Amino acid sequence: MAIDVNAPVSVSVQTIDIDGDGVSDTGQIQKNTGSVSSFDSFNLKTPEGLQQFKEACLEMGVAVPEFVGSSSSYVSSLSAESQATLNSFGTTLTNPSAPASSALQSRWAEFVGKQAVNGGVDVNALVQHVLRDSYLESTQDLYFYASKVKFYNELKKGIREELTNARKELSGHAGREDTDAVTYNKIAFSTDYTGAAASGQPEIVTSPDGTTSTKKDLETYIEALEEKLNSVGDDAQLANVDLQNMLQKQQQTMQMMSNISKMLHDTAMAVIRKIG
Protein backbone atom coordinates (compact mmCIF):
# COMPACT_ATOMS: atom_id res chain seq x y z
CA MET A 1 0.00 0.00 0.00
CA ALA A 2 1.33 3.44 -0.96
CA ILE A 3 1.90 5.94 1.81
CA ASP A 4 -0.36 8.98 1.64
CA VAL A 5 2.05 11.86 2.14
CA ASN A 6 -0.26 14.60 0.94
CA ALA A 7 -2.82 14.67 3.74
CA PRO A 8 -0.69 15.82 6.71
CA VAL A 9 1.43 18.46 5.03
CA SER A 10 1.02 22.21 5.00
CA VAL A 11 3.44 24.96 4.08
CA SER A 12 2.28 28.25 5.55
CA VAL A 13 2.57 31.27 3.28
CA GLN A 14 1.41 34.48 4.90
CA THR A 15 1.15 38.15 4.00
CA ILE A 16 3.49 40.41 5.94
CA ASP A 17 4.82 43.93 5.74
CA ILE A 18 8.45 43.55 4.68
CA ASP A 19 9.12 47.20 3.92
CA GLY A 20 7.72 48.85 7.02
CA ASP A 21 5.36 50.94 4.88
CA GLY A 22 2.18 49.64 6.48
CA VAL A 23 1.27 47.60 3.39
CA SER A 24 1.28 43.81 3.50
CA ASP A 25 3.37 42.08 0.86
CA THR A 26 1.95 38.81 -0.45
CA GLY A 27 3.62 35.47 -0.82
CA GLN A 28 6.12 35.73 2.00
CA ILE A 29 6.92 33.19 4.69
CA GLN A 30 5.56 34.32 8.06
CA LYS A 31 8.57 35.37 10.10
CA ASN A 32 8.09 35.23 13.86
CA THR A 33 10.35 36.77 16.48
CA GLY A 34 11.74 33.52 17.84
CA SER A 35 15.35 32.47 17.47
CA VAL A 36 16.56 31.23 14.11
CA SER A 37 19.28 28.61 14.09
CA SER A 38 21.85 28.42 11.34
CA PHE A 39 21.45 26.23 8.28
CA ASP A 40 24.13 23.79 9.43
CA SER A 41 23.27 23.64 13.13
CA PHE A 42 20.76 20.77 13.00
CA ASN A 43 21.76 17.11 13.16
CA LEU A 44 18.72 15.63 11.43
CA LYS A 45 19.94 12.09 12.05
CA THR A 46 19.20 12.38 15.78
CA PRO A 47 15.75 12.71 17.39
CA GLU A 48 16.89 15.80 19.29
CA GLY A 49 18.26 17.53 16.19
CA LEU A 50 15.16 16.69 14.18
CA GLN A 51 12.89 18.08 16.89
CA GLN A 52 14.92 21.28 17.07
CA PHE A 53 14.69 21.66 13.31
CA LYS A 54 10.91 21.11 13.32
CA GLU A 55 10.47 23.73 16.05
CA ALA A 56 12.68 26.21 14.19
CA CYS A 57 10.67 25.63 11.00
CA LEU A 58 7.44 26.32 12.84
CA GLU A 59 8.92 29.58 14.15
CA MET A 60 9.56 30.56 10.53
CA GLY A 61 6.03 29.59 9.49
CA VAL A 62 7.11 26.38 7.71
CA ALA A 63 4.90 23.48 8.83
CA VAL A 64 6.56 20.05 8.87
CA PRO A 65 4.23 17.12 8.04
CA GLU A 66 3.49 14.38 10.53
CA PHE A 67 5.33 11.70 8.57
CA VAL A 68 8.61 13.55 9.17
CA GLY A 69 9.28 11.87 12.50
CA SER A 70 12.14 9.93 13.99
CA SER A 71 13.36 6.72 12.41
CA SER A 72 11.36 3.58 13.11
CA SER A 73 12.79 0.89 15.36
CA TYR A 74 13.14 -1.31 12.28
CA VAL A 75 15.28 1.24 10.43
CA SER A 76 17.33 1.83 13.58
CA SER A 77 18.04 -1.90 13.76
CA LEU A 78 19.69 -1.93 10.33
CA SER A 79 23.45 -1.97 10.03
CA ALA A 80 25.28 1.33 9.68
CA GLU A 81 26.07 0.48 6.06
CA SER A 82 22.42 -0.27 5.29
CA GLN A 83 21.26 2.94 6.97
CA ALA A 84 23.78 4.96 4.96
CA THR A 85 22.54 3.35 1.73
CA LEU A 86 18.93 4.00 2.73
CA ASN A 87 19.70 7.65 3.48
CA SER A 88 21.28 8.05 0.04
CA PHE A 89 17.93 7.33 -1.63
CA GLY A 90 16.35 10.34 0.06
CA THR A 91 19.12 12.59 -1.23
CA THR A 92 18.80 11.12 -4.72
CA LEU A 93 15.07 11.81 -4.84
CA THR A 94 15.66 15.56 -4.54
CA ASN A 95 16.77 15.36 -8.19
CA PRO A 96 13.61 15.93 -10.29
CA SER A 97 14.62 13.23 -12.78
CA ALA A 98 15.27 10.61 -10.08
CA PRO A 99 11.71 9.17 -9.71
CA ALA A 100 11.69 7.99 -13.33
CA SER A 101 15.23 6.68 -13.23
CA SER A 102 15.60 2.97 -13.95
CA ALA A 103 18.99 3.10 -12.23
CA LEU A 104 17.28 4.27 -9.05
CA GLN A 105 14.76 1.43 -9.19
CA SER A 106 17.56 -1.08 -9.77
CA ARG A 107 19.49 0.22 -6.76
CA TRP A 108 16.34 0.13 -4.64
CA ALA A 109 15.52 -3.44 -5.72
CA GLU A 110 19.06 -4.56 -4.89
CA PHE A 111 18.90 -2.90 -1.48
CA VAL A 112 15.52 -4.44 -0.57
CA GLY A 113 16.72 -7.83 -1.79
CA LYS A 114 19.68 -7.74 0.58
CA GLN A 115 17.44 -6.82 3.51
CA ALA A 116 14.97 -9.59 2.63
CA VAL A 117 17.70 -12.20 2.66
CA ASN A 118 18.53 -11.25 6.24
CA GLY A 119 14.97 -11.75 7.46
CA GLY A 120 11.68 -9.87 7.56
CA VAL A 121 11.43 -6.54 5.78
CA ASP A 122 9.25 -3.64 6.91
CA VAL A 123 8.65 -2.13 3.49
CA ASN A 124 6.49 0.73 4.77
CA ALA A 125 9.19 1.77 7.25
CA LEU A 126 11.82 1.79 4.50
CA VAL A 127 9.66 3.80 2.11
CA GLN A 128 8.63 6.30 4.76
CA HIS A 129 12.24 6.81 5.80
CA VAL A 130 13.27 7.58 2.21
CA LEU A 131 10.40 10.04 1.78
CA ARG A 132 11.24 11.70 5.08
CA ASP A 133 14.87 12.26 4.10
CA SER A 134 13.86 13.59 0.69
CA TYR A 135 11.41 16.02 2.24
CA LEU A 136 13.95 17.20 4.83
CA GLU A 137 16.46 17.95 2.07
CA SER A 138 14.06 20.39 0.41
CA THR A 139 12.84 21.78 3.75
CA GLN A 140 16.40 22.66 4.79
CA ASP A 141 16.74 24.71 1.61
CA LEU A 142 13.40 26.37 2.27
CA TYR A 143 14.43 27.16 5.84
CA PHE A 144 17.72 28.64 4.64
CA TYR A 145 16.01 31.06 2.27
CA ALA A 146 13.38 32.00 4.86
CA SER A 147 16.21 32.78 7.28
CA LYS A 148 17.90 34.87 4.59
CA VAL A 149 14.73 36.90 4.06
CA LYS A 150 14.52 37.44 7.82
CA PHE A 151 18.12 38.67 7.82
CA TYR A 152 17.47 41.34 5.20
CA ASN A 153 14.24 42.45 6.88
CA GLU A 154 16.06 42.89 10.20
CA LEU A 155 18.96 44.62 8.46
CA LYS A 156 16.57 47.13 6.91
CA LYS A 157 15.06 47.70 10.33
CA GLY A 158 18.53 48.36 11.81
CA ILE A 159 19.46 50.81 9.06
CA ARG A 160 16.14 52.64 9.44
CA GLU A 161 16.71 53.00 13.18
CA GLU A 162 20.19 54.41 12.56
CA LEU A 163 18.77 56.80 9.96
CA THR A 164 16.21 58.02 12.50
CA ASN A 165 18.93 58.65 15.09
CA ALA A 166 21.18 60.46 12.60
CA ARG A 167 18.35 62.64 11.30
CA LYS A 168 17.35 63.51 14.86
CA GLU A 169 20.91 64.59 15.55
CA LEU A 170 20.97 66.66 12.36
CA SER A 171 17.71 68.37 13.24
CA GLY A 172 19.29 69.53 16.46
CA HIS A 173 21.80 71.54 14.41
CA ALA A 174 19.32 73.20 12.06
CA GLY A 175 20.44 76.63 10.88
CA ARG A 176 24.13 76.00 11.50
CA GLU A 177 26.81 76.18 8.81
CA ASP A 178 27.95 73.04 6.98
CA THR A 179 31.46 73.52 8.39
CA ASP A 180 30.33 73.79 12.00
CA ALA A 181 31.55 71.02 14.30
CA VAL A 182 29.06 68.16 14.75
CA THR A 183 30.18 64.95 16.42
CA TYR A 184 28.10 61.81 15.78
CA ASN A 185 29.19 58.18 16.20
CA LYS A 186 28.63 56.41 12.90
CA ILE A 187 27.80 52.70 12.48
CA ALA A 188 28.94 50.42 9.66
CA PHE A 189 26.49 47.71 8.56
CA SER A 190 27.58 44.54 6.78
CA THR A 191 25.07 43.57 4.08
CA ASP A 192 26.50 40.08 3.53
CA TYR A 193 24.33 37.19 4.72
CA THR A 194 26.54 34.83 6.74
CA GLY A 195 23.96 32.61 8.45
CA ALA A 196 23.20 32.68 12.15
CA ALA A 197 25.21 33.93 15.08
CA ALA A 198 25.81 31.95 18.27
CA SER A 199 22.50 33.30 19.61
CA GLY A 200 20.67 31.54 16.78
CA GLN A 201 19.57 34.78 15.12
CA PRO A 202 20.67 35.64 11.57
CA GLU A 203 23.88 37.54 12.19
CA ILE A 204 23.76 41.24 11.40
CA VAL A 205 27.26 42.64 11.73
CA THR A 206 27.63 46.24 12.87
CA SER A 207 30.80 48.01 13.89
CA PRO A 208 31.99 51.52 14.79
CA ASP A 209 32.66 53.60 11.68
CA GLY A 210 34.29 56.64 13.21
CA THR A 211 32.62 59.95 13.96
CA THR A 212 31.48 62.92 11.94
CA SER A 213 33.39 66.16 12.42
CA THR A 214 31.08 68.63 10.72
CA LYS A 215 27.42 69.09 9.91
CA LYS A 216 28.25 68.35 6.26
CA ASP A 217 29.84 65.05 7.29
CA LEU A 218 26.62 64.07 9.07
CA GLU A 219 24.54 64.93 6.02
CA THR A 220 26.85 62.83 3.86
CA TYR A 221 26.54 59.93 6.30
CA ILE A 222 22.74 60.14 6.16
CA GLU A 223 22.83 60.06 2.36
CA ALA A 224 25.07 56.98 2.47
CA LEU A 225 22.63 55.24 4.81
CA GLU A 226 19.74 56.02 2.48
CA GLU A 227 21.66 54.51 -0.45
CA LYS A 228 22.49 51.42 1.59
CA LEU A 229 18.85 51.02 2.58
CA ASN A 230 17.82 51.07 -1.08
CA SER A 231 20.49 48.50 -1.91
CA VAL A 232 19.41 46.21 0.92
CA GLY A 233 15.83 46.55 -0.30
CA ASP A 234 16.92 45.16 -3.68
CA ASP A 235 18.73 42.29 -1.97
CA ALA A 236 15.62 41.56 0.08
CA GLN A 237 13.50 41.37 -3.04
CA LEU A 238 15.94 38.91 -4.64
CA ALA A 239 15.90 36.81 -1.47
CA ASN A 240 12.10 36.80 -1.62
CA VAL A 241 12.21 35.57 -5.21
CA ASP A 242 14.57 32.75 -4.19
CA LEU A 243 12.23 31.87 -1.34
CA GLN A 244 9.22 31.72 -3.64
CA ASN A 245 11.12 29.50 -6.08
CA MET A 246 12.04 27.15 -3.24
CA LEU A 247 8.43 27.09 -2.03
CA GLN A 248 7.31 26.10 -5.51
CA LYS A 249 9.99 23.42 -5.70
CA GLN A 250 8.93 21.94 -2.36
CA GLN A 251 5.28 21.91 -3.37
CA GLN A 252 6.22 20.04 -6.54
CA THR A 253 8.19 17.60 -4.41
CA MET A 254 5.16 16.92 -2.25
CA GLN A 255 2.95 16.35 -5.29
CA MET A 256 5.23 13.67 -6.67
CA MET A 257 5.88 11.90 -3.35
CA SER A 258 2.70 9.83 -3.46
CA ASN A 259 3.72 8.37 -6.84
CA ILE A 260 7.25 7.81 -5.59
CA SER A 261 6.02 5.93 -2.52
CA LYS A 262 3.90 3.64 -4.70
CA MET A 263 6.84 2.95 -7.01
CA LEU A 264 9.16 2.14 -4.11
CA HIS A 265 6.55 -0.01 -2.40
CA ASP A 266 5.63 -1.97 -5.54
CA THR A 267 9.27 -2.53 -6.46
CA ALA A 268 10.09 -3.76 -2.96
CA MET A 269 7.11 -6.14 -2.87
CA ALA A 270 8.05 -7.57 -6.27
CA VAL A 271 11.55 -8.33 -5.04
CA ILE A 272 10.23 -9.94 -1.85
CA ARG A 273 7.80 -12.16 -3.81
CA LYS A 274 10.62 -13.40 -6.03
CA ILE A 275 12.74 -14.25 -3.03
CA GLY A 276 9.77 -16.00 -1.37
Side-chain angles (χ1 to χ4, degrees):
M1 178 181 297
I3 298 175
D4 181 7
V5 299
N6 293 317
V9 67
S10 64
V11 178
S12 175
V13 182
Q14 308 290 339
T15 60
I16 61 173
D17 176 14
I18 64 172
D19 297 317
D21 54 7
V23 179
S24 293
D25 300 275
T26 59
Q28 308 303 327
I29 284 290
Q30 175 71 42
K31 289 175 288 301
N32 299 322
T33 57
S35 63
V36 178
S37 298
S38 69
F39 179 68
D40 298 321
S41 65
F42 304 105
N43 183 358
L44 301 181
K45 302 305 179 184
T46 66
E48 296 79 12
L50 181 59
Q51 183 61 32
Q52 290 173 358
F53 179 66
K54 291 171 70 174
E55 291 174 357
C57 283
L58 289 174
E59 289 179 355
M60 297 295 289
V62 181
V64 181
E66 292 298 325
F67 76 86
V68 184
S70 58
S71 297
S72 69
S73 56
Y74 170 74
V75 172
S76 300
S77 70
L78 299 177
S79 67
E81 180 181 359
S82 294
Q83 290 188 42
T85 302
L86 185 62
N87 291 337
S88 71
F89 287 108
T91 301
T92 302
L93 288 179
T94 58
N95 183 340
S97 64
S101 170
S102 58
L104 173 65
Q105 294 187 51
S106 297
R107 285 178 52 216
W108 176 250
E110 180 182 0
F111 172 76
V112 173
K114 288 182 179 179
Q115 304 312 309
V117 170
N118 295 329
V121 179
D122 188 340
V123 175
N124 283 339
L126 294 177
V127 172
Q128 186 159 326
H129 185 88
V130 172
L131 295 181
R132 183 194 72 159
D133 277 11
S134 179
Y135 180 85
L136 285 174
E137 287 278 342
S138 63
T139 303
Q140 283 188 92
D141 292 338
L142 179 61
Y143 178 83
F144 171 78
Y145 286 112
S147 177
K148 190 173 183 179
V149 168
K150 182 179 178 69
F151 164 80
Y152 283 117
N153 288 341
E154 293 185 352
L155 179 59
K156 288 191 293 183
K157 179 181 178 181
I159 295 175
R160 287 194 189 100
E161 290 176 351
E162 175 62 8
L163 262 172
T164 298
N165 293 335
R167 287 167 177 163
K168 183 178 180 180
E169 177 69 23
L170 182 63
S171 67
H173 301 280
R176 298 182 62 182
E177 297 294 330
D178 287 348
T179 56
D180 286 349
V182 174
T183 301
Y184 180 83
N185 295 322
K186 299 187 293 182
I187 297 177
F189 291 86
S190 173
T191 59
D192 295 328
Y193 177 68
T194 57
S199 64
Q201 290 288 342
E203 186 173 15
I204 299 175
V205 180
T206 61
S207 58
D209 193 28
T211 59
T212 62
S213 57
T214 65
K215 179 183 176 183
K216 182 63 176 178
D217 285 344
L218 181 56
E219 291 174 343
T220 300
Y221 173 59
I222 290 174
E223 291 173 359
L225 285 175
E226 290 171 341
E227 292 178 0
K228 179 162 289 189
L229 183 60
N230 290 332
S231 175
V232 170
D234 293 339
D235 291 337
Q237 290 300 321
L238 290 175
N240 283 325
V241 170
D242 289 338
L243 177 59
Q244 291 305 306
N245 290 337
M246 187 53 58
L247 264 174
Q248 187 176 41
K249 177 182 176 182
Q250 190 189 51
Q251 290 166 353
Q252 291 171 347
T253 299
M254 293 305 301
Q255 290 173 359
M256 73 180 182
M257 274 191 172
S258 183
N259 291 334
I260 294 173
S261 68
K262 185 177 187 306
M263 179 271 287
L264 295 176
H265 185 277
D266 291 349
T267 301
M269 294 306 297
V271 171
I272 293 171
R273 291 189 192 101
K274 287 182 180 179
I275 294 176

